[in-house]
Amino acid sequence: MIPAIPAILARDLEPISFDDLPLGGEWTTRRRTISEAEIALFAGVAGDFSPLAIDAGHAGARFAPPALLVAVAIGLGTMDMPLPSVAEWEWLNWKFPRPVRAGETIYARWTLTQKRPPIAGAPTAIVVWRVDVHTADGALCAEGEVGASVRRKAQAARTHPIEPAQAADAAQVAPASRRRRGRRSPATAKPAAPAPPPVEVAPTAAAEKTSTARRRRRRRPRTGISSGHDGQPPVPAVNADPQPAPVTAPAPAQPTGALSRVMKRLRRT
């Protein structure tokens, strides 16, 4: 009877987010022997038919292609290190100081060297591992870096704090928006610019003549005769508002004839 797989193994197979990856963590993988059949299959899949991959004349054994070593190292890492939630691979930078022949056993050592700060609320961030591939006797046969874009936790991506540079940009944008809306805070309001001093303009000859004529017209009397000027005879002034002639009441009629004689007699008595 085959024993059941413990629950802890199932939990370890779940992808780990960027926030849960331990910076500086180091993992050593299990070992794997490279066979001639694997070299031949990889050459057929990759289409690599160079003499280094298919010729067995090098000391009686074939050399493993460098791409095969990289693929085996990444495959070993997916089994024996925390499985990151990789969104996409960014780059691979490798060196191969020593060839690996068919029949040799290798293993890999993964070290998490970089966790680059995420940009604002980006859902992913860059992670860099250093990978060293050794033979069973400890000889270094391959070394390189693997960069990947790893997904972050959804809550951490939403609540990521604003960086100082972004806060400064927001502070510069806020006064501009207030100016567009016509609102200014008392602290940022600028004092009104002083009014420029009045500019004095020299009077021209025509302006002097006009002002002199106006002053002369104001000095003329409304009634009487004005004195002439410029050699012309005086012109009598015309009253713009003539006064109406006074109206006198008619004198009472004097009694005549017999009526007057009667009135005289009454006055005597």
Side-chain angles (χ1 to χ4, degrees):
M1 181 177 180
I2 300 175
I5 299 176
I8 187 172
L9 295 181
R11 184 172 64 250
D12 291 342
L13 293 177
E14 296 180 0
I16 297 178
S17 66
F18 169 85
D19 306 277
D20 295 334
L21 286 175
L23 182 61
E26 184 175 330
W27 302 270
T28 301
T29 68
R30 65 192 66 187
R31 301 185 179 190
R32 178 172 177 176
T33 302
I34 305 298
S35 64
E36 287 192 6
E38 291 176 340
I39 295 175
L41 290 174
F42 185 84
V45 172
D48 183 7
F49 300 105
S50 65
L52 292 176
I54 63 176
D55 191 2
H58 302 283
R62 292 185 176 91
F63 288 155
L68 175 59
L69 298 180
V70 175
V72 171
I74 293 178
L76 292 174
T78 58
M79 292 187 293
D80 295 326
M81 61 174 285
L83 183 63
S85 179
V86 176
E88 57 184 355
W89 297 106
E90 295 291 339
W91 72 85
L92 299 173
N93 185 13
W94 285 79
K95 297 179 181 180
F96 305 93
R98 178 186 180 278
V100 176
R101 297 179 176 87
E104 290 188 313
T105 302
I106 62 174
Y107 66 93
R109 180 178 290 113
W110 286 68
T111 305
L112 184 59
T113 57
Q114 296 182 35
K115 287 181 65 176
R116 299 184 180 179
I119 301 175
T124 61
I126 300 297
V127 175
V128 180
W129 290 273
R130 176 178 175 81
V131 184
D132 297 326
V133 181
H134 299 267
T135 59
D137 55 0
L140 181 65
C141 58
E143 60 179 345
E145 288 184 346
V146 177
S149 180
V150 180
R151 296 182 181 88
R152 303 175 58 205
K153 290 182 178 179
Q155 183 177 4
R158 290 194 301 268
T159 61
H160 183 76
I162 300 177
E163 297 180 357
Q166 297 176 349
D169 295 341
Q172 294 177 1
V173 172
S177 61
R178 283 198 294 269
R179 286 196 297 270
R180 287 195 297 268
R181 294 194 300 269
R183 300 175 182 176
R184 292 185 179 180
S185 60
T188 59
K190 296 182 178 180
V199 180
E200 297 182 359
V201 181
T204 59
E208 291 181 356
K209 187 174 180 180
T210 303
S211 61
T212 304
R214 290 178 180 175
R215 287 197 298 271
R216 289 178 179 177
R217 284 198 296 270
R218 286 197 297 269
R219 293 175 184 174
R220 291 177 182 176
R222 287 184 173 272
T223 58
I225 299 176
S226 62
S227 60
H229 59 279
D230 297 336
Q232 296 182 1
V235 180
V238 180
N239 193 356
D241 299 327
Q243 299 292 334
V247 180
T248 57
Q254 297 292 335
T256 57
L259 181 58
S260 62
R261 288 195 295 271
V262 173
M263 292 179 65
K264 288 180 180 180
R265 288 178 183 177
L266 292 174
R267 291 175 182 170
R268 289 176 183 175
T269 59

